[in-house]
Coordinates of all heavy atoms in Angstrom, one line a residue:
M1 N -7.6 -2.2 20.3 CA -6.8 -2.2 19.1 C -7.6 -3.1 18.1 O -8.0 -4.3 18.4 CB -5.4 -2.8 19.3 CG -4.5 -2.1 18.5 SD -2.7 -2.3 18.8 CE -2.5 -3.3 20.2
T2 N -7.7 -2.7 16.8 CA -8.3 -3.5 15.8 C -7.3 -3.8 14.7 O -6.3 -3.1 14.5 CB -9.5 -2.7 15.2 OG1 -9.0 -1.5 14.6 CG2 -10.6 -2.4 16.2
S3 N -7.6 -4.8 13.9 CA -6.7 -5.2 12.8 C -7.6 -5.6 11.6 O -8.6 -6.2 11.8 CB -5.8 -6.4 13.3 OG -5.0 -6.8 12.2
Q4 N -7.1 -5.1 10.4 CA -7.8 -5.5 9.2 C -6.8 -6.2 8.3 O -5.6 -5.8 8.2 CB -8.3 -4.2 8.5 CG -9.3 -3.5 9.3 CD -9.8 -2.2 8.5 OE1 -9.1 -1.7 7.6 NE2 -10.9 -1.7 9.0
D5 N -7.3 -7.2 7.6 CA -6.3 -8.0 6.8 C -6.9 -8.0 5.3 O -8.0 -8.1 5.1 CB -6.3 -9.5 7.2 CG -5.8 -9.6 8.6 OD1 -5.2 -8.7 9.1 OD2 -6.0 -10.7 9.2
T6 N -6.0 -7.7 4.4 CA -6.3 -7.6 3.0 C -5.3 -8.4 2.2 O -4.1 -8.2 2.4 CB -6.3 -6.2 2.5 OG1 -7.2 -5.4 3.3 CG2 -6.7 -6.1 1.0
E7 N -5.7 -9.4 1.3 CA -4.8 -10.1 0.5 C -4.1 -9.2 -0.5 O -4.8 -8.3 -1.1 CB -5.5 -11.3 -0.1 CG -5.9 -12.3 0.8 CD -6.6 -13.5 0.2 OE1 -6.4 -13.8 -1.0 OE2 -7.3 -14.2 0.8
I8 N -2.8 -9.5 -0.8 CA -2.1 -8.6 -1.7 C -1.0 -9.4 -2.4 O -0.5 -10.4 -1.9 CB -1.5 -7.4 -0.9 CG1 -1.0 -6.3 -1.8 CG2 -0.5 -7.9 0.1 CD1 -0.6 -5.0 -1.1
R9 N -0.7 -8.9 -3.6 CA 0.4 -9.4 -4.4 C 1.2 -8.2 -4.9 O 0.7 -7.3 -5.6 CB 0.0 -10.3 -5.6 CG 1.1 -10.8 -6.4 CD 0.6 -11.4 -7.7 NE 0.1 -10.3 -8.6 CZ -0.5 -10.5 -9.7 NH1 -0.8 -11.7 -10.1 NH2 -1.0 -9.5 -10.4
L10 N 2.5 -8.2 -4.6 CA 3.4 -7.1 -5.0 C 4.5 -7.6 -5.9 O 5.1 -8.7 -5.6 CB 4.0 -6.4 -3.8 CG 3.0 -5.6 -3.0 CD1 3.7 -5.0 -1.8 CD2 2.3 -4.5 -3.8
I11 N 4.9 -6.9 -6.9 CA 6.0 -7.2 -7.8 C 7.0 -6.0 -7.7 O 6.5 -4.9 -7.9 CB 5.5 -7.4 -9.2 CG1 4.5 -8.6 -9.3 CG2 6.7 -7.7 -10.1 CD1 3.8 -8.7 -10.6
G12 N 8.2 -6.3 -7.4 CA 9.2 -5.2 -7.3 C 10.6 -5.8 -7.2 O 10.9 -6.9 -7.4
R13 N 11.5 -4.9 -6.7 CA 12.9 -5.2 -6.4 C 13.2 -5.0 -4.9 O 12.7 -4.1 -4.3 CB 13.8 -4.3 -7.2 CG 13.8 -4.6 -8.7 CD 14.8 -3.6 -9.4 NE 14.8 -3.8 -10.8 CZ 15.8 -4.5 -11.4 NH1 16.8 -5.0 -10.7 NH2 15.8 -4.7 -12.7
L14 N 14.0 -5.9 -4.4 CA 14.5 -5.7 -3.1 C 15.4 -4.5 -2.9 O 16.3 -4.3 -3.7 CB 15.3 -7.0 -2.6 CG 14.5 -8.2 -2.4 CD1 15.4 -9.4 -2.1 CD2 13.4 -8.1 -1.3
T15 N 15.1 -3.7 -1.9 CA 15.9 -2.5 -1.7 C 17.2 -2.8 -0.9 O 18.1 -1.9 -0.9 CB 15.1 -1.4 -0.9 OG1 14.8 -1.9 0.4 CG2 13.8 -1.0 -1.7
H16 N 17.2 -3.9 -0.2 CA 18.4 -4.4 0.4 C 18.4 -5.9 0.6 O 17.3 -6.5 0.3 CB 18.5 -3.7 1.8 CG 17.4 -4.0 2.7 ND1 17.2 -5.1 3.4 CD2 16.3 -3.2 3.0 CE1 16.1 -5.1 4.1 NE2 15.5 -3.9 3.9
D17 N 19.5 -6.5 1.0 CA 19.5 -7.9 1.3 C 18.4 -8.3 2.3 O 18.2 -7.5 3.2 CB 20.9 -8.4 1.8 CG 22.0 -8.2 0.8 OD1 21.7 -7.8 -0.4 OD2 23.1 -8.4 1.1
V18 N 17.8 -9.4 2.2 CA 16.9 -9.9 3.2 C 17.6 -10.1 4.5 O 18.7 -10.7 4.5 CB 16.1 -11.1 2.8 CG1 15.2 -11.7 3.8 CG2 15.4 -10.9 1.5
T19 N 17.1 -9.6 5.6 CA 17.7 -9.8 6.9 C 16.8 -10.8 7.7 O 15.6 -10.9 7.5 CB 17.8 -8.5 7.7 OG1 16.6 -7.9 7.9 CG2 18.8 -7.6 7.0
F20 N 17.5 -11.5 8.6 CA 16.8 -12.5 9.4 C 17.1 -12.3 10.9 O 18.2 -11.9 11.3 CB 17.4 -13.9 9.0 CG 17.1 -14.2 7.6 CD1 18.0 -13.9 6.6 CD2 15.9 -14.8 7.2 CE1 17.8 -14.2 5.2 CE2 15.7 -15.1 5.9 CZ 16.6 -14.8 4.9
R21 N 16.1 -12.7 11.7 CA 16.2 -12.7 13.2 C 15.6 -14.0 13.7 O 14.6 -14.5 13.1 CB 15.5 -11.5 13.8 CG 16.2 -10.2 13.6 CD 15.7 -9.2 14.5 NE 16.3 -7.9 14.1 CZ 15.7 -6.8 14.2 NH1 14.4 -6.7 14.5 NH2 16.3 -5.7 13.8
T22 N 16.2 -14.5 14.7 CA 15.6 -15.7 15.3 C 15.0 -15.3 16.6 O 15.6 -14.6 17.4 CB 16.7 -16.8 15.6 OG1 17.3 -17.1 14.3 CG2 16.1 -18.0 16.2
V23 N 13.7 -15.6 16.8 CA 13.0 -15.2 18.0 C 13.1 -16.3 19.1 O 13.6 -17.4 18.8 CB 11.5 -14.8 17.7 CG1 11.4 -13.6 16.8 CG2 10.8 -16.0 17.0
D24 N 12.5 -16.0 20.2 CA 12.6 -16.9 21.4 C 12.3 -18.3 21.2 O 12.8 -19.2 21.7 CB 11.8 -16.3 22.6 CG 12.3 -15.0 23.1 OD1 13.5 -14.7 22.9 OD2 11.5 -14.2 23.7
D25 N 11.3 -18.6 20.3 CA 10.8 -19.9 20.1 C 11.6 -20.6 19.0 O 11.2 -21.6 18.4 CB 9.3 -20.0 19.8 CG 8.9 -19.1 18.6 OD1 9.8 -18.5 17.9 OD2 7.7 -19.1 18.2
N26 N 12.8 -20.1 18.6 CA 13.7 -20.6 17.6 C 13.2 -20.5 16.2 O 13.6 -21.2 15.3 CB 14.1 -22.0 17.9 CG 15.5 -22.1 18.6 OD1 16.1 -21.1 18.8 ND2 15.8 -23.3 19.1
N27 N 12.1 -19.7 16.0 CA 11.6 -19.5 14.6 C 12.3 -18.3 14.0 O 12.6 -17.3 14.7 CB 10.1 -19.2 14.6 CG 9.3 -20.5 14.8 OD1 9.6 -21.5 14.3 ND2 8.3 -20.4 15.7
R28 N 12.6 -18.4 12.7 CA 13.3 -17.4 12.0 C 12.3 -16.4 11.3 O 11.3 -16.9 10.8 CB 14.2 -18.0 10.9 CG 15.0 -17.1 10.1 CD 15.8 -17.8 9.1 NE 16.4 -19.0 9.6 CZ 17.5 -19.5 9.1 NH1 18.1 -19.0 8.0 NH2 18.0 -20.6 9.6
I29 N 12.6 -15.2 11.4 CA 11.7 -14.1 10.8 C 12.6 -13.4 9.7 O 13.7 -13.0 10.0 CB 11.2 -13.1 11.8 CG1 10.3 -13.8 12.9 CG2 10.3 -12.1 11.1 CD1 9.9 -12.9 14.0
A30 N 12.0 -13.3 8.5 CA 12.7 -12.6 7.5 C 12.1 -11.2 7.3 O 10.9 -11.1 7.3 CB 12.6 -13.4 6.1
Y31 N 12.9 -10.2 7.1 CA 12.5 -8.9 6.9 C 13.0 -8.4 5.5 O 14.2 -8.5 5.2 CB 13.1 -7.9 8.0 CG 12.6 -8.3 9.4 CD1 13.3 -9.2 10.2 CD2 11.5 -7.7 9.9 CE1 12.9 -9.5 11.4 CE2 11.0 -8.0 11.2 CZ 11.7 -8.9 11.9 OH 11.3 -9.3 13.2
L32 N 12.0 -7.9 4.7 CA 12.4 -7.4 3.4 C 11.6 -6.2 3.1 O 10.5 -6.0 3.5 CB 12.2 -8.5 2.4 CG 10.8 -9.1 2.2 CD1 10.6 -9.6 0.8 CD2 10.7 -10.4 3.1
D33 N 12.3 -5.3 2.3 CA 11.7 -4.1 1.7 C 11.6 -4.3 0.2 O 12.6 -4.6 -0.4 CB 12.4 -2.9 2.1 CG 12.3 -2.6 3.7 OD1 11.4 -3.1 4.3 OD2 13.2 -1.9 4.2
L34 N 10.5 -4.0 -0.3 CA 10.3 -4.1 -1.8 C 10.0 -2.8 -2.4 O 9.1 -2.1 -1.9 CB 9.1 -5.1 -2.0 CG 9.0 -5.8 -3.3 CD1 10.2 -6.7 -3.5 CD2 7.7 -6.6 -3.4
Q35 N 10.7 -2.4 -3.4 CA 10.4 -1.2 -4.2 C 9.5 -1.5 -5.3 O 9.8 -2.3 -6.2 CB 11.7 -0.6 -4.7 CG 11.5 0.7 -5.5 CD 12.7 1.3 -6.0 OE1 13.8 1.1 -5.4 NE2 12.6 2.1 -7.1
V36 N 8.3 -0.9 -5.2 CA 7.2 -1.2 -6.2 C 7.0 0.0 -7.1 O 6.9 1.2 -6.6 CB 5.9 -1.5 -5.4 CG1 4.8 -1.8 -6.4 CG2 6.1 -2.7 -4.5
E37 N 7.0 -0.2 -8.4 CA 6.8 0.9 -9.3 C 5.3 1.2 -9.4 O 4.5 0.4 -9.6 CB 7.3 0.5 -10.7 CG 8.8 0.1 -10.7 CD 9.7 1.3 -10.3 OE1 9.4 2.4 -10.7 OE2 10.7 1.0 -9.7
L38 N 5.0 2.5 -9.4 CA 3.6 3.0 -9.5 C 3.5 3.9 -10.7 O 4.4 4.7 -11.0 CB 3.2 3.8 -8.2 CG 3.3 3.0 -6.9 CD1 3.0 4.0 -5.8 CD2 2.3 1.9 -6.9
P39 N 2.4 3.8 -11.4 CA 2.3 4.7 -12.6 C 1.9 6.1 -12.1 O 1.3 6.2 -11.1 CB 1.1 4.0 -13.4 CG 0.4 3.1 -12.4 CD 1.4 2.8 -11.3
P40 N 2.3 7.1 -12.8 CA 3.1 7.1 -14.1 C 4.6 6.9 -13.8 O 5.2 6.1 -14.5 CB 2.7 8.3 -14.8 CG 2.5 9.3 -13.7 CD 1.9 8.5 -12.6
E41 N 5.1 7.6 -12.9 CA 6.6 7.5 -12.6 C 6.9 7.7 -11.1 O 7.7 8.6 -10.8 CB 7.3 8.6 -13.5 CG 7.2 8.4 -14.9 CD 8.0 9.4 -15.7 OE1 8.9 10.1 -15.1 OE2 7.8 9.6 -16.9
D42 N 6.3 6.9 -10.3 CA 6.5 7.0 -8.9 C 6.9 5.6 -8.3 O 6.7 4.6 -9.0 CB 5.2 7.5 -8.2 CG 5.4 8.1 -6.8 OD1 6.6 8.2 -6.4 OD2 4.4 8.4 -6.2
T43 N 7.4 5.6 -7.1 CA 7.7 4.3 -6.5 C 7.2 4.3 -5.1 O 7.0 5.4 -4.5 CB 9.2 4.0 -6.5 OG1 9.9 5.0 -5.8 CG2 9.8 3.9 -7.9
M44 N 7.1 3.2 -4.5 CA 6.7 3.0 -3.1 C 7.5 1.9 -2.5 O 7.8 0.9 -3.1 CB 5.2 2.7 -3.1 CG 4.7 2.3 -1.7 SD 2.9 2.0 -1.7 CE 2.8 0.6 -2.8
I45 N 8.0 2.1 -1.2 CA 8.7 1.0 -0.5 C 7.7 0.4 0.4 O 7.0 1.0 1.2 CB 9.9 1.6 0.3 CG1 10.8 2.4 -0.6 CG2 10.6 0.5 1.0 CD1 11.5 1.6 -1.7
V46 N 7.6 -1.0 0.4 CA 6.7 -1.7 1.2 C 7.5 -2.7 2.1 O 8.4 -3.4 1.6 CB 5.7 -2.5 0.3 CG1 4.8 -3.3 1.2 CG2 4.9 -1.6 -0.6
H47 N 7.3 -2.7 3.4 CA 7.9 -3.5 4.3 C 7.2 -4.9 4.4 O 5.9 -4.9 4.5 CB 8.0 -2.9 5.7 CG 8.6 -1.5 5.7 ND1 9.9 -1.3 5.5 CD2 8.0 -0.3 5.9 CE1 10.1 0.0 5.5 NE2 9.0 0.7 5.7
A48 N 7.9 -5.9 4.5 CA 7.3 -7.3 4.6 C 8.0 -8.1 5.6 O 9.2 -7.9 5.9 CB 7.3 -8.0 3.3
Q49 N 7.3 -9.0 6.3 CA 7.9 -10.0 7.2 C 7.4 -11.4 6.7 O 6.3 -11.5 6.3 CB 7.4 -9.7 8.6 CG 7.8 -8.5 9.2 CD 7.3 -8.3 10.6 OE1 6.6 -9.2 11.1 NE2 7.5 -7.1 11.2
A50 N 8.3 -12.4 6.9 CA 7.9 -13.7 6.6 C 8.4 -14.6 7.7 O 9.5 -14.4 8.3 CB 8.6 -14.1 5.2
R51 N 7.7 -15.7 7.9 CA 8.0 -16.7 8.9 C 7.9 -18.1 8.3 O 7.4 -18.2 7.2 CB 7.1 -16.6 10.1 CG 7.2 -15.3 10.9 CD 6.1 -15.3 12.0 NE 6.2 -14.1 12.7 CZ 6.6 -14.0 14.0 NH1 6.9 -15.0 14.7 NH2 6.6 -12.8 14.6
G52 N 8.3 -19.1 9.0 CA 8.2 -20.5 8.6 C 8.8 -20.8 7.3 O 9.9 -20.3 7.0
P53 N 8.0 -21.5 6.4 CA 8.6 -22.0 5.1 C 8.9 -20.8 4.2 O 9.9 -20.9 3.4 CB 7.4 -22.8 4.5 CG 6.6 -23.2 5.7 CD 6.7 -22.1 6.7
V54 N 8.2 -19.7 4.3 CA 8.6 -18.6 3.4 C 9.9 -17.9 3.8 O 10.7 -17.6 3.0 CB 7.4 -17.5 3.5 CG1 7.8 -16.3 2.6 CG2 6.1 -18.1 3.1
A55 N 10.1 -17.8 5.1 CA 11.5 -17.3 5.6 C 12.6 -18.3 5.2 O 13.6 -17.8 4.8 CB 11.4 -17.1 7.1
E56 N 12.3 -19.6 5.3 CA 13.3 -20.6 4.9 C 13.6 -20.5 3.4 O 14.7 -20.6 3.0 CB 12.9 -22.0 5.3 CG 12.7 -22.1 6.8 CD 14.0 -21.8 7.6 OE1 15.1 -22.0 7.1 OE2 13.8 -21.2 8.7
Y57 N 12.6 -20.3 2.6 CA 12.7 -20.1 1.1 C 13.7 -18.9 0.9 O 14.6 -19.0 0.1 CB 11.4 -19.9 0.4 CG 11.5 -19.5 -1.0 CD1 11.5 -20.5 -2.0 CD2 11.5 -18.2 -1.4 CE1 11.6 -20.2 -3.3 CE2 11.7 -17.8 -2.8 CZ 11.7 -18.8 -3.7 OH 11.8 -18.5 -5.0
L58 N 13.4 -17.8 1.5 CA 14.2 -16.6 1.3 C 15.6 -16.8 1.7 O 16.6 -16.3 1.1 CB 13.6 -15.4 2.1 CG 12.2 -14.9 1.5 CD1 11.6 -14.0 2.6 CD2 12.4 -14.2 0.2
H59 N 15.8 -17.5 2.8 CA 17.2 -17.8 3.3 C 17.9 -18.8 2.3 O 19.1 -18.6 1.9 CB 17.1 -18.5 4.7 CG 18.4 -18.6 5.3 ND1 19.1 -19.8 5.3 CD2 19.2 -17.7 6.0 CE1 20.3 -19.6 5.9 NE2 20.4 -18.4 6.3
A60 N 17.2 -19.8 1.9 CA 17.8 -20.8 1.0 C 18.2 -20.2 -0.4 O 19.1 -20.6 -1.0 CB 16.9 -22.0 0.8
H61 N 17.4 -19.2 -0.9 CA 17.6 -18.6 -2.2 C 18.5 -17.4 -2.1 O 18.7 -16.7 -3.1 CB 16.3 -18.3 -2.9 CG 15.7 -19.6 -3.4 ND1 14.9 -20.4 -2.5 CD2 15.6 -20.1 -4.6 CE1 14.4 -21.4 -3.3 NE2 14.9 -21.3 -4.5
D62 N 19.1 -17.1 -1.0 CA 20.1 -16.0 -0.8 C 19.6 -14.7 -1.5 O 20.3 -14.2 -2.4 CB 21.4 -16.5 -1.4 CG 22.6 -15.6 -0.9 OD1 22.5 -15.0 0.2 OD2 23.5 -15.4 -1.7
C63 N 18.5 -14.2 -1.1 CA 17.9 -13.0 -1.8 C 18.7 -11.8 -1.4 O 19.0 -11.5 -0.3 CB 16.4 -12.9 -1.3 SG 15.4 -14.3 -1.8
R64 N 19.0 -11.0 -2.5 CA 19.9 -9.9 -2.4 C 19.3 -8.6 -2.9 O 18.3 -8.7 -3.7 CB 21.2 -10.1 -3.2 CG 22.0 -11.3 -2.7 CD 22.8 -11.0 -1.5 NE 23.6 -12.1 -1.0 CZ 24.1 -12.1 0.1 NH1 24.0 -11.1 1.0 NH2 24.8 -13.2 0.5
Q65 N 19.8 -7.5 -2.6 CA 19.4 -6.2 -3.0 C 19.3 -6.2 -4.6 O 20.3 -6.7 -5.2 CB 20.4 -5.1 -2.6 CG 20.0 -3.7 -3.0 CD 21.0 -2.7 -2.5 OE1 21.9 -3.0 -1.7 NE2 20.8 -1.5 -3.0
G66 N 18.3 -5.7 -5.1 CA 18.1 -5.6 -6.5 C 17.4 -6.8 -7.2 O 17.0 -6.7 -8.3
D67 N 17.3 -7.9 -6.4 CA 16.6 -9.1 -7.0 C 15.1 -8.8 -7.2 O 14.5 -8.1 -6.5 CB 16.6 -10.3 -6.0 CG 18.0 -11.0 -5.9 OD1 18.8 -10.7 -6.8 OD2 18.2 -11.8 -5.0
H68 N 14.6 -9.3 -8.4 CA 13.1 -9.1 -8.6 C 12.4 -10.1 -7.7 O 12.8 -11.3 -7.6 CB 12.8 -9.5 -10.1 CG 13.3 -8.5 -11.0 ND1 14.5 -8.6 -11.7 CD2 12.7 -7.3 -11.4 CE1 14.6 -7.5 -12.5 NE2 13.6 -6.7 -12.3
M69 N 11.3 -9.7 -7.1 CA 10.5 -10.6 -6.3 C 9.0 -10.4 -6.5 O 8.6 -9.3 -6.9 CB 10.8 -10.2 -4.8 CG 12.2 -10.4 -4.3 SD 12.7 -12.1 -4.2 CE 11.6 -12.7 -2.9
I70 N 8.3 -11.5 -6.3 CA 6.9 -11.4 -6.1 C 6.6 -11.8 -4.7 O 7.1 -12.8 -4.2 CB 6.1 -12.3 -7.1 CG1 6.4 -12.0 -8.5 CG2 4.6 -12.3 -6.8 CD1 5.7 -13.0 -9.5
V71 N 5.8 -11.0 -4.0 CA 5.4 -11.3 -2.6 C 3.9 -11.4 -2.5 O 3.2 -10.5 -2.9 CB 5.9 -10.2 -1.6 CG1 5.5 -10.6 -0.2 CG2 7.5 -10.1 -1.7
F72 N 3.5 -12.6 -2.1 CA 2.0 -12.8 -1.8 C 1.8 -12.8 -0.4 O 2.6 -13.3 0.4 CB 1.6 -14.2 -2.4 CG 1.9 -14.4 -3.8 CD1 3.1 -15.0 -4.2 CD2 1.0 -14.1 -4.8 CE1 3.4 -15.2 -5.5 CE2 1.3 -14.3 -6.1 CZ 2.5 -14.9 -6.5
G73 N 0.7 -12.2 0.1 CA 0.5 -12.2 1.5 C -0.7 -11.5 1.9 O -1.7 -11.2 1.1
T74 N -0.7 -11.0 3.1 CA -1.8 -10.3 3.7 C -1.3 -8.9 4.2 O -0.3 -8.9 4.8 CB -2.4 -11.1 4.9 OG1 -2.7 -12.4 4.5 CG2 -3.6 -10.3 5.5
L75 N -2.0 -7.9 3.7 CA -1.6 -6.6 4.2 C -2.2 -6.4 5.6 O -3.4 -6.6 5.8 CB -2.3 -5.5 3.3 CG -1.9 -4.1 3.5 CD1 -0.4 -3.8 3.3 CD2 -2.7 -3.2 2.6
K76 N -1.3 -6.2 6.5 CA -1.7 -6.0 7.9 C -1.7 -4.6 8.3 O -0.6 -3.9 8.1 CB -0.7 -6.8 8.8 CG -0.7 -8.3 8.6 CD -1.9 -8.9 9.2 CE -1.7 -10.5 9.2 NZ -2.8 -11.1 9.8
T77 N -2.7 -4.1 8.8 CA -2.8 -2.7 9.4 C -3.3 -2.9 10.8 O -4.3 -3.6 11.1 CB -3.8 -1.8 8.6 OG1 -5.0 -2.4 8.6 CG2 -3.3 -1.6 7.2
T78 N -2.6 -2.2 11.7 CA -3.0 -2.2 13.1 C -3.2 -0.8 13.5 O -2.3 0.0 13.3 CB -1.9 -2.9 14.0 OG1 -1.6 -4.2 13.4 CG2 -2.3 -3.0 15.4
R79 N -4.3 -0.5 14.0 CA -4.7 0.9 14.5 C -5.1 0.9 15.9 O -5.7 -0.1 16.4 CB -5.7 1.4 13.6 CG -5.3 1.5 12.1 CD -6.4 2.1 11.3 NE -6.1 2.1 9.9 CZ -5.3 3.0 9.3 NH1 -4.9 4.1 10.0 NH2 -5.1 3.0 8.0
K80 N -4.8 2.0 16.6 CA -5.3 2.2 17.9 C -6.2 3.4 17.8 O -5.7 4.6 17.8 CB -4.2 2.4 18.9 CG -4.6 2.5 20.3 CD -3.3 2.6 21.2 CE -3.8 2.7 22.6 NZ -2.6 2.8 23.5
G81 N -7.5 3.2 17.8 CA -8.4 4.4 17.5 C -8.2 4.9 16.2 O -8.1 4.2 15.2
D82 N -8.0 6.2 16.1 CA -7.7 6.9 14.8 C -6.2 7.1 14.6 O -5.8 7.6 13.6 CB -8.4 8.3 14.7 CG -9.9 8.2 14.6 OD1 -10.3 7.1 14.1 OD2 -10.6 9.1 15.1
E83 N -5.4 6.6 15.5 CA -4.0 6.8 15.5 C -3.3 5.7 14.7 O -3.6 4.5 14.9 CB -3.4 6.8 16.9 CG -1.9 7.0 16.9 CD -1.4 6.9 18.4 OE1 -2.2 6.9 19.3 OE2 -0.2 6.7 18.5
Y84 N -2.5 6.0 13.7 CA -1.8 5.0 12.8 C -0.7 4.4 13.6 O 0.0 5.0 14.3 CB -1.2 5.8 11.6 CG -0.2 5.0 10.9 CD1 -0.6 4.0 9.9 CD2 1.1 5.1 11.2 CE1 0.3 3.3 9.2 CE2 2.1 4.4 10.5 CZ 1.7 3.5 9.5 OH 2.6 2.7 8.9
V85 N -0.7 3.0 13.5 CA 0.4 2.3 14.2 C 1.3 1.6 13.3 O 2.5 1.8 13.3 CB -0.3 1.3 15.2 CG1 0.8 0.5 15.9 CG2 -1.1 2.0 16.3
A86 N 0.8 0.7 12.4 CA 1.7 0.0 11.5 C 1.0 -0.6 10.3 O -0.2 -0.9 10.3 CB 2.3 -1.2 12.3
V87 N 1.8 -0.6 9.2 CA 1.3 -1.3 8.0 C 2.5 -2.1 7.5 O 3.6 -1.7 7.4 CB 0.9 -0.3 6.9 CG1 0.5 -1.0 5.6 CG2 -0.3 0.5 7.3
R88 N 2.2 -3.4 7.2 CA 3.2 -4.3 6.7 C 2.6 -5.4 5.9 O 1.4 -5.6 6.0 CB 4.1 -4.8 7.8 CG 3.4 -5.8 8.7 CD 4.2 -6.3 9.8 NE 3.6 -7.4 10.5 CZ 2.5 -7.3 11.3 NH1 1.9 -6.1 11.5 NH2 2.0 -8.3 11.9
I89 N 3.4 -6.3 5.2 CA 2.8 -7.5 4.6 C 3.3 -8.7 5.4 O 4.5 -8.8 5.7 CB 3.4 -7.6 3.2 CG1 2.8 -6.5 2.3 CG2 2.9 -9.0 2.6 CD1 3.4 -6.5 0.9
A90 N 2.4 -9.5 5.8 CA 2.7 -10.8 6.3 C 2.8 -11.8 5.1 O 1.7 -12.2 4.6 CB 1.7 -11.2 7.4
A91 N 4.0 -12.1 4.7 CA 4.2 -12.9 3.5 C 3.7 -14.3 3.6 O 4.1 -15.0 4.6 CB 5.6 -12.9 3.0
A92 N 2.8 -14.8 2.7 CA 2.4 -16.2 2.7 C 3.1 -16.9 1.6 O 3.0 -18.2 1.6 CB 0.9 -16.2 2.5
G93 N 3.8 -16.2 0.7 CA 4.5 -16.9 -0.3 C 5.3 -15.8 -1.0 O 5.1 -14.6 -1.0
T94 N 6.4 -16.3 -1.7 CA 7.2 -15.4 -2.5 C 8.0 -16.2 -3.5 O 8.1 -17.4 -3.5 CB 8.3 -14.6 -1.5 OG1 8.9 -13.7 -2.3 CG2 9.2 -15.6 -0.9
S95 N 8.4 -15.5 -4.5 CA 9.2 -16.1 -5.6 C 10.3 -15.2 -6.1 O 10.0 -14.1 -6.4 CB 8.3 -16.5 -6.7 OG 9.1 -17.1 -7.8
K96 N 11.5 -15.7 -6.2 CA 12.6 -15.0 -6.7 C 12.8 -15.4 -8.2 O 13.6 -14.7 -8.9 CB 13.9 -15.4 -5.9 CG 15.1 -14.7 -6.4 CD 16.3 -15.1 -5.5 CE 17.6 -14.6 -6.1 NZ 18.8 -14.9 -5.4
D97 N 12.1 -16.3 -8.6 CA 12.2 -16.9 -10.0 C 11.6 -16.0 -11.1 O 11.8 -16.2 -12.3 CB 11.7 -18.3 -10.1 CG 12.3 -19.2 -9.1 OD1 13.6 -19.0 -8.9 OD2 11.7 -20.1 -8.6
W98 N 10.8 -15.0 -10.7 CA 10.1 -14.2 -11.7 C 11.1 -13.2 -12.3 O 12.0 -12.7 -11.7 CB 9.0 -13.4 -10.9 CG 8.3 -12.4 -11.8 CD1 7.4 -12.6 -12.7 CD2 8.6 -11.0 -11.9 NE1 7.0 -11.5 -13.4 CE2 7.8 -10.5 -12.8 CE3 9.5 -10.2 -11.2 CZ2 7.8 -9.1 -13.2 CZ3 9.5 -8.8 -11.5 CH2 8.7 -8.3 -12.5
R99 N 10.9 -13.0 -13.6 CA 11.7 -12.0 -14.3 C 10.8 -11.1 -15.1 O 9.8 -11.6 -15.7 CB 12.7 -12.7 -15.3 CG 13.7 -13.5 -14.6 CD 14.7 -12.5 -13.9 NE 15.8 -13.3 -13.2 CZ 15.9 -13.3 -11.9 NH1 15.1 -12.6 -11.1 NH2 16.9 -14.0 -11.3
P100 N 11.0 -9.8 -15.2 CA 10.2 -8.9 -16.0 C 10.3 -9.1 -17.4 O 11.2 -9.7 -17.9 CB 10.7 -7.5 -15.6 CG 12.1 -7.7 -15.1 CD 12.2 -9.1 -14.6

């Protein structure tokens, strides 16, 4: 299995409230989906995960569906040969304070 990492910044709106899970090592993981507008009149939904301080930021700021967000992170693609497996953002930072 190979993995490629690409830095990315996305601006969009949350499609649902951020959800959280606590894993075995007591770390919280935040899951969020961001609707990103694409020119000319299209949209794309991007899945993101955040851990550590970024997950705590999302929890403390009570991020809700429709909130504007900027998500900074790494685009993670995992492939097994030519077979597609997963694409997501591993968030390294985010901000709910941005307004269009």
Side-chain angles (χ1 to χ4, degrees):
M1 216 171 353
T2 63
S3 177
Q4 297 178 343
D5 300 343
T6 304
E7 291 182 23
I8 191 167
R9 177 189 70 190
L10 293 176
I11 300 171
R13 289 180 179 260
L14 291 175
T15 62
H16 58 78
D17 296 354
V18 176
T19 57
F20 299 90
R21 290 193 184 143
T22 302
V23 292
D24 294 338
D25 58 1
N26 264 353
N27 284 320
R28 186 180 313 204
I29 302 174
Y31 297 90
L32 56 151
D33 292 338
L34 201 64
Q35 179 177 335
V36 179
E37 302 297 324
L38 301 173
E41 294 181 17
D42 199 7
T43 61
M44 173 177 59
I45 304 297
V46 179
H47 306 289
Q49 294 177 4
R51 295 175 182 250
V54 180
E56 296 306 322
Y57 172 90
L58 292 167
H59 188 263
H61 285 81
D62 195 31
C63 298
R64 300 281 181 193
Q65 179 178 355
D67 286 348
H68 289 97
M69 298 289 296
I70 297 177
V71 177
F72 304 92
T74 305
L75 185 63
K76 297 283 188 177
T77 58
T78 305
R79 299 181 184 276
K80 185 175 182 181
D82 291 334
E83 180 183 347
Y84 165 84
V85 177
V87 176
R88 69 184 189 287
I89 295 176
T94 187
S95 176
K96 181 179 169 181
D97 301 326
W98 173 81
R99 294 288 180 248

